[in-house]
Amino acid sequence: MTPNITEQMESTGFAQVIVVIEPGAAAAAAGIAADVAMPPIRTVAAELERCFIRAEHGQDAALSRQNAAAVGLALDAPTPPKVRAYEHLGIILGTVDSTGLAALRSDRRVREVTGAPQLRLIRPVAARSATLAGTPTWGIERLEIPRLWDAGLQGQGVLIGHLDTGVDSHHPAFSGGAIAHFAEFDRLGNPVPGARPHDTGRHGTHTAGTLVGRPVDGTAFGCAPEAQLASAIVIEGGNVVARILAGMDWIVGLRARVLSMSLGLPGFHPDFLPVTRILRARGVLPVFAVGNEGPGSSRSPGNYPETLSVGAMNVSDEVADFSSSQTFARLEDPLVPDLVAPGVDVFSSVPGAGFMEMSGSSMATPHVAGLAALLFQAVPTATVDEVESAIFGSCKLVPGMPAERANRGIPNAPAALSLLRGLAMKKAA
């Protein structure tokens, strides 16, 4: 469990915090009207820098010394910045003591100050080698995605954000320009200059394959095989929140329509709620894994009302034993996940031109994100809320599938498309 701001203050005397800036504050700081093109958020960050500290025994300082030692610089480590500004998200990140925290909370330019949870990869519960079968995977067939392909919808023109362990672009599943953008953020959250697409594990290549993988020898496993991917390495290790925020900021700047993310912290931690709301406000649908700890559990941010949270089911239409589910004492979206999707024995790509079957809510999540990409292609003017509503409306609970574990049930691609087009027609009328 990541301690909250108060607990960190009590134990160390400082805490890393996410600061959400009021819309228009950057313009006001520059002395211009809010409806004029806004200057970079770093304008406000520079003025608020006085509220932040460099913690000698904090994570950034330790990571900086470690990085310097690794390249032979002894202890003459480059000084990490006191404040990181994320222009597209409109937030800043830094470390404060109690005085700085009070100053931030009283500043009229600050909308909210939250903690900075160190999210972790939601690892698969099982994995095994697999071979090409020459047919679409069971998950794609179960959601009836080929019917959308037959209607000419394969994701053309849609960019999907993917924050994970990276992607092996040399895999045949990603030929033909599947990887449109790639970034790597180092352990301090800084962009790695000239980063080339690669995977620091295999999780990222597997989830990317379910999103945009091109068919290989007749085996179709990518839900949106003509969409493009913006993939970034943000996990694991280091100042994870700085890495993830940098990735999210990058995704928003690229104008991706969907973000598929299988990262989370066990339990409910509201610190990332403001960021998730910002993603939606910027036109990005956040599709997040709910976790693999079974019933009565979930992970943040996948358990937020503002995310489209995904649990896992198997080929027999049963909720996987490991798939998390939890009910919260709140009026909006009290039950998570929002739905379940194929997440057991999911066939996809792994680095080195190989293939594996993996099981986990991480494997279910890109099925739904890929479906969302097909819907955005069908109705490019659709909003995040409209695409999410269409997916929710298409869901059905099959006989014997408990609602407390699957919530709305299993989505259906043709039904979601029909609902979305119906919404578009009503808007146009």
Side-chain angles (χ1 to χ4, degrees):
M1 176 182 293
T2 297
N4 59 32
I5 296 175
T6 301
E7 291 170 335
Q8 289 185 53
M9 287 289 186
E10 291 175 349
S11 61
T12 65
F14 57 86
Q16 186 173 222
V17 295
I18 298 169
V19 182
V20 182
I21 302 303
E22 285 283 4
I32 61 177
D35 59 352
V36 177
M38 288 178 61
I41 198 72
R42 59 178 176 268
T43 302
V44 176
E47 294 194 356
L48 293 177
E49 187 175 5
R50 58 182 172 75
C51 301
F52 296 85
I53 64 169
R54 287 193 176 93
E56 181 181 352
H57 302 293
Q59 185 183 41
D60 277 357
L63 287 170
S64 183
R65 289 192 294 268
Q66 186 180 65
N67 289 351
V71 295
L73 294 180
L75 295 180
D76 297 327
T79 302
K82 286 174 68 176
V83 181
R84 295 174 175 86
Y86 302 99
E87 178 180 351
H88 302 293
L89 293 173
I91 64 175
I92 59 180
L93 176 72
T95 300
V96 296
D97 57 18
S98 57
T99 301
L101 179 62
L104 285 173
R105 285 176 167 166
S106 64
D107 195 292
R108 61 182 177 81
R109 293 165 294 186
V110 173
R111 169 176 287 187
E112 194 168 358
V113 182
T114 72
Q118 301 293 313
L119 306 185
R120 298 193 290 273
L121 189 68
I122 302 178
R123 298 185 180 278
V125 300
R128 64 186 180 193
S129 297
T131 56
L132 296 167
T135 58
T137 60
W138 78 264
I140 283 177
E141 292 282 18
R142 180 61 184 85
L143 300 185
E144 296 190 59
I145 283 175
R147 289 181 57 187
L148 269 61
W149 296 346
D150 292 342
L153 301 173
Q154 297 196 38
Q156 295 95 328
V158 180
L159 183 65
I160 304 174
H162 174 250
L163 300 182
D164 211 296
T165 64
V167 61
D168 176 10
S169 64
H170 297 294
H171 196 288
F174 305 114
S175 61
I179 313 302
H181 305 279
F182 181 81
E184 179 176 4
F185 298 96
D186 67 17
R187 292 167 62 83
L188 280 163
N190 302 313
V192 176
R196 308 278 300 183
H198 66 285
D199 195 341
T200 59
R202 60 189 185 190
H203 189 277
T205 300
H206 197 275
T207 54
T210 304
L211 287 167
V212 301
R214 278 54 171 153
V216 179
D217 293 342
T219 302
F221 51 92
C223 293
E226 292 299 325
Q228 290 189 305
L229 200 69
S231 178
I233 297 174
V234 299
I235 201 99
E236 296 246 62
N239 189 339
V240 174
V241 70
R243 301 178 76 185
I244 292 172
L245 289 176
M248 287 180 169
D249 193 68
W250 177 73
I251 291 294
V252 171
L254 291 172
R255 299 183 181 275
R257 302 303 308 272
V258 187
L259 171 58
S260 180
M261 197 173 80
S262 299
L263 316 175
L265 190 64
F268 183 82
H269 306 273
D271 304 292
F272 253 87
L273 263 172
V275 179
T276 307
R277 290 169 179 154
I278 289 169
L279 288 174
R280 293 184 75 100
R282 301 292 193 271
V284 180
L285 177 63
V287 184
F288 295 166
V290 75
N292 296 337
E293 287 74 41
S297 70
S298 62
R299 291 202 182 204
S300 297
N303 52 19
Y304 295 168
E306 288 80 359
T307 65
L308 197 171
S309 61
V310 185
M313 53 168 280
N314 64 21
V315 70
S316 300
D317 285 351
E318 299 166 333
V319 178
D321 291 343
F322 61 78
S323 185
S324 292
S325 59
Q326 192 167 13
T327 300
F328 293 93
R330 62 192 187 205
L331 294 177
E332 183 185 1
D333 200 25
L335 176 61
V336 295
D338 290 308
L339 49 81
V340 291
V344 178
D345 297 334
V346 173
F347 178 97
S348 189
S349 48
V350 291
F355 300 92
M356 295 190 80
E357 290 181 353
M358 295 187 186
S359 300
S361 58
S362 291
M363 284 64 252
T365 298
H367 280 92
V368 180
L371 169 57
L374 300 180
L375 297 178
F376 276 119
Q377 181 197 351
V379 185
T381 58
T383 66
V384 165
D385 289 346
E386 288 167 348
V387 168
E388 182 182 67
S389 177
I391 293 174
F392 285 172
S394 77
C395 292
K396 287 186 178 180
L397 284 167
V398 300
M401 179 175 276
E404 65 269 19
R405 295 281 281 126
N407 200 345
R408 296 171 177 85
I410 309 167
N412 178 268
L417 176 61
S418 177
L419 288 169
L420 185 62
R421 284 178 167 165
L423 287 171
M425 290 178 63
K426 286 182 180 179
K427 283 174 62 177

